[in-house]
Amino acid sequence: MLKNARMFKNVFGSGFIVRTAHVILTWVITLILFLHDTELRKQEERGELIQPVLFVLLVLVSVLLYFAVSLMDPGFVLSDGSDLQFTLGIAEETQDMIPPTTKSLRQRRCGHCLLQQPMRSKHCQTCQHCVRRYDHHCPWIENCVGERNHRWFVLYLAVQLLVLLWGLHMAWSGFTTAPTWQLWLRGNGVLLGTVAVVAVLSLTVLLLLGSHLYLVSLNTTTWEFMSRHRISYLKHCGADENPFDRGTLRNLWGFFCNWGAIVWEQVYFREGNDPI
């Protein structure tokens, strides 16, 4: 019952307008590309349906990924000492296998939700929860990006960028010539506006994807990168020192391919234990 109530709140909460606007804009742009004299429409009229069908499927995948990321639990800390089991879905017998650290760092108790914060977690004022390996709160998806949905967020950005660049190319192919500027704007005004919107979105997504891949390759988060001078476990580190960095390849492999829970205290203290 509680899970259903949380899902209902996620769908119809404050992010409902943002998500609705995103979906409407996506399908309006797709419809424009098919209604104007673009390559997509020409191929459809000739019966060459491979690219039009692939494009629509890719748009659908991007929308599904968008909702998956925006409605997914980003890794909320639900209670003291039980965040691993509940937030990451670890069974009790698996939790018993996680070896304790021989060193300890005093966990800070959150001043808002009064829960002990695991390392790399932060309280989100918008979501009103502490989030494990907090990256940032994204107003685009009206959700936090954290330990559970960060890789899906990056995958969504990659798919969305592919859709936008493909759509930009198709919109550009739909421009027609005219004897005067007035007639050209009258015939191509909608496509021109579409190109402008898609170009701005493409640049935004490209910058977001590039920055996230860069931070992932360093095994750091947006919050840690921007606020390391205020974070207790990073204050004593040098400007170029990152206690979680295990090398670019291992960082990327751990981010995209490791689906288990990581005890960040073990990585921080360099105890040589592999992530669980």
Side-chain angles (χ1 to χ4, degrees):
M1 182 67 68
L2 181 61
K3 184 177 180 181
N4 292 335
R6 185 180 292 115
M7 180 63 72
F8 182 85
K9 182 180 179 180
N10 287 340
V11 175
F12 297 100
S14 61
F16 179 74
I17 296 178
V18 175
R19 297 182 185 112
T20 302
H22 175 87
V23 173
I24 291 175
L25 180 63
T26 298
W27 290 111
V28 165
I29 291 177
T30 302
L31 185 62
I32 290 174
L33 295 179
F34 277 95
L35 291 179
H36 283 74
D37 196 24
T38 62
E39 282 297 321
L40 285 175
R41 179 174 179 178
K42 292 176 182 177
Q43 291 175 5
E44 182 185 11
E45 292 175 345
R46 294 196 301 263
E48 301 172 0
L49 300 179
I50 295 180
Q51 286 198 42
V53 170
L54 285 178
F55 182 77
V56 172
L57 287 177
L58 197 61
V59 171
L60 181 60
V61 169
S62 73
V63 172
L64 292 177
L65 281 173
Y66 173 79
F67 274 99
V69 173
S70 61
L71 299 178
M72 186 182 297
D73 177 357
F76 292 134
V77 179
L78 301 180
S79 62
D80 285 339
S82 61
D83 53 285
L84 280 176
Q85 296 103 306
F86 292 98
T87 306
L88 298 175
I90 301 176
E92 292 183 3
E93 58 271 19
T94 306
Q95 176 67 13
D96 293 337
M97 295 171 59
I98 299 179
T101 57
T102 57
K103 300 180 182 179
S104 63
L105 186 71
R106 184 179 180 183
Q107 287 188 333
R108 187 172 73 91
R109 187 169 290 277
C110 178
H112 300 277
C113 58
L114 303 180
L115 297 176
Q116 286 189 339
Q117 294 179 328
M119 186 173 286
R120 309 192 80 181
S121 65
K122 180 183 181 297
H123 186 87
C124 176
Q125 296 285 358
T126 304
C127 294
Q128 292 299 309
H129 284 287
C130 288
V131 180
R132 289 184 58 86
R133 201 175 60 77
Y134 175 86
D135 188 87
H136 72 288
H137 182 90
C138 180
W140 188 358
I141 63 174
E142 273 299 320
N143 194 11
C144 281
V145 176
E147 191 162 65
R148 292 195 67 184
N149 66 346
H150 196 173
R151 61 170 61 87
W152 293 106
F153 180 73
V154 173
L155 178 61
Y156 161 69
L157 290 178
V159 174
Q160 187 67 69
L161 180 61
L162 182 59
V163 171
L164 289 169
L165 293 178
W166 195 351
L168 186 63
H169 171 71
M170 289 302 169
W172 192 267
S173 70
F175 286 122
T176 57
T177 58
T180 64
W181 278 105
Q182 291 80 2
L183 292 176
W184 187 88
L185 285 175
R186 186 179 302 174
N188 298 283
V190 175
L191 270 183
L192 184 62
T194 301
V195 166
V197 171
V198 174
V200 171
L201 292 175
S202 298
L203 180 60
T204 302
V205 174
L206 178 62
L207 293 175
L208 277 173
L209 179 60
S211 63
H212 276 276
L213 288 177
Y214 171 73
L215 293 177
V216 165
S217 70
L218 300 176
N219 201 351
T220 190
T221 64
T222 302
W223 173 56
E224 291 171 342
F225 183 79
M226 301 294 294
S227 306
R228 63 179 294 130
H229 60 285
R230 296 191 290 111
I231 300 175
S232 59
Y233 56 84
L234 294 179
K235 281 183 177 180
H236 68 280
C237 299
D240 298 326
E241 183 183 357
N242 177 15
F244 306 108
D245 187 8
R246 295 172 290 177
T248 300
L249 292 180
R250 290 190 65 187
N251 291 338
L252 292 173
W253 176 267
F255 180 82
F256 289 106
C257 302
N258 182 18
W259 293 85
I262 297 178
V263 182
W264 292 111
E265 285 81 359
Q266 293 180 357
V267 179
Y268 181 85
F269 289 119
R270 303 286 185 181
E271 291 187 350
N273 294 318
D274 292 329
I276 301 298

